[in-house]
Amino acid sequence: MKSFKEQTARIIFMISACIAIIAVTLICIFLFANGIPAMGKIGFWKFLSGTVWKPENDIYGIFPMILASIYVTTGAIILGVPVGILSAMFLTRFCSKRLYKIIKPAVDLLAGIPSVVYGFFGLMVIVPTIRNAFGVSGASMLAASIVLGIMILPTIIGISESAIRAVPESYYEGSLALGASHERSVFFSVLPAAKSGITAAVILGIGRAIGETMAVIMVAGNQAVIPGGILDGLRTLTANIVIEMSYAADLHREALIATGVVLFVFILIINLTFSLLKRRTKD
């Protein structure tokens, strides 16, 4: 009877795993089967390096969108990573238990907020603030970076906190025994020992930022041009797909699917980097 239950459970687990693999495989087949031919029709390098996106004239260059995705992701990392890591250090080494019970649920709640709410917050608070401060429209690279920087905080804080807690206590105690202060022991003994986990947190944060769509659409300005500065509007790869897919047809639709292929490759590279880091940590 026990063997029958174990065998049944094994089959159920295997079917579940197969469903996940089949789903990923089907998505890959759909994207590449529809996107690669479109790149061939447009011209591979022309599609990737073209600076003009005019579907009405059958001109499809996604270089401005590639740059926009990289810019807002970089901005989000610059703003979100220091805050996230320092917050994780505070929660693990400096926070009282009573305060931890307040901050930790708040961080977890931050992870559950829908992206459209972040976008609405950016549209009603961040965009007007930038507009009043600099005399520009406000919907810009800076606004998108700030919103994404807030959105990646739960990912970076959660994983960094786990990485710091996983460091053996002997590192901290050994540093104290050598005469270092509490702060110095945390920053120069515990933090370096957790660097692999913290790096993984940053990589997952990058994946979260580069794949975000709704919040970015609401605050980025959605201009398919190369931005001249952080106060200019831009359009990311994800925003380009969402904005135009509803009315696109023929080559225009295929070009948008090809845009998805480029985005998929970006995410694939990020996940491979994360896997390599995990393997390196285990070794």
Side-chain angles (χ1 to χ4, degrees):
M1 187 66 182
K2 186 180 178 183
S3 175
F4 174 75
K5 285 183 179 177
E6 289 177 353
Q7 193 67 23
T8 305
R10 185 178 297 175
I11 292 172
I12 292 172
F13 295 152
M14 188 179 69
I15 291 173
S16 302
C18 288
I19 290 172
I21 293 170
I22 290 170
V24 172
T25 305
L26 288 176
I27 290 171
C28 290
I29 291 172
F30 170 77
L31 276 177
F32 286 97
N34 290 278
I36 298 298
M39 289 186 190
K41 292 175 187 174
I42 298 166
F44 185 76
W45 290 113
K46 193 176 175 183
F47 178 70
L48 291 178
S49 62
T51 57
V52 179
W53 177 270
K54 283 187 177 178
E56 62 274 17
N57 297 331
D58 273 346
I59 301 174
Y60 304 99
I62 63 165
F63 190 63
M65 278 70 86
I66 293 175
L67 276 184
S69 295
I70 294 172
Y71 285 163
V72 295
T73 302
T74 303
I77 294 302
I78 290 172
L79 297 172
V81 168
V83 176
I85 294 174
L86 292 175
S87 299
M89 291 181 67
F90 176 74
L91 288 172
T92 52
R93 293 290 176 173
F94 297 94
C95 183
S96 66
K97 288 185 178 177
R98 181 177 295 179
L99 193 57
Y100 183 85
K101 289 178 181 176
I102 298 172
I103 297 177
K104 184 60 179 173
V107 173
D108 293 339
L109 182 63
L110 206 60
I113 295 175
S115 60
V116 69
V117 176
Y118 282 104
F120 190 66
F121 170 76
L123 191 65
M124 301 305 293
V125 178
I126 298 174
V127 170
T129 303
I130 295 174
R131 183 188 303 138
N132 295 331
F134 300 101
V136 294
S137 69
S140 60
M141 183 198 309
L142 179 61
S145 297
I146 293 172
V147 171
L148 287 177
I150 297 171
M151 292 181 73
I152 65 173
L153 280 178
T155 303
I156 294 176
I157 293 173
I159 299 175
S160 298
E161 184 189 349
S162 300
I164 293 170
R165 289 194 187 282
V167 176
E169 196 64 16
S170 57
Y171 283 60
Y172 173 73
E173 292 172 351
S175 180
L176 287 181
L178 291 172
S181 63
H182 171 62
E183 291 78 12
R184 194 172 180 82
S185 298
V186 171
F187 275 94
F188 295 102
S189 295
V190 177
L191 189 61
K195 66 180 180 183
S196 295
I198 292 173
T199 307
V202 174
I203 291 172
L204 287 180
I206 293 172
R208 174 84 168 91
I210 203 167
E212 178 52 41
T213 308
M214 185 56 68
V216 174
I217 288 177
M218 295 173 75
V219 300
N222 303 315
Q223 300 168 23
V225 295
I226 297 175
I230 62 172
L231 298 178
D232 290 345
L234 42 70
R235 180 189 291 184
T236 61
L237 290 168
T238 52
N240 192 48
I241 296 170
V242 172
I243 289 171
E244 299 189 7
M245 186 55 86
S246 60
Y247 61 86
D250 303 327
L251 184 59
H252 183 194
R253 187 180 181 84
E254 293 177 16
L256 292 176
I257 296 173
T259 306
V261 172
V262 175
L263 183 65
F264 182 81
V265 170
F266 272 122
I267 299 295
L268 197 63
I269 292 170
I270 291 168
N271 285 341
L272 284 174
T273 308
F274 177 65
S275 299
L276 287 174
L277 275 174
K278 276 181 68 179
R279 187 177 299 175
R280 189 178 169 186
T281 304
K282 285 180 181 176
D283 293 340

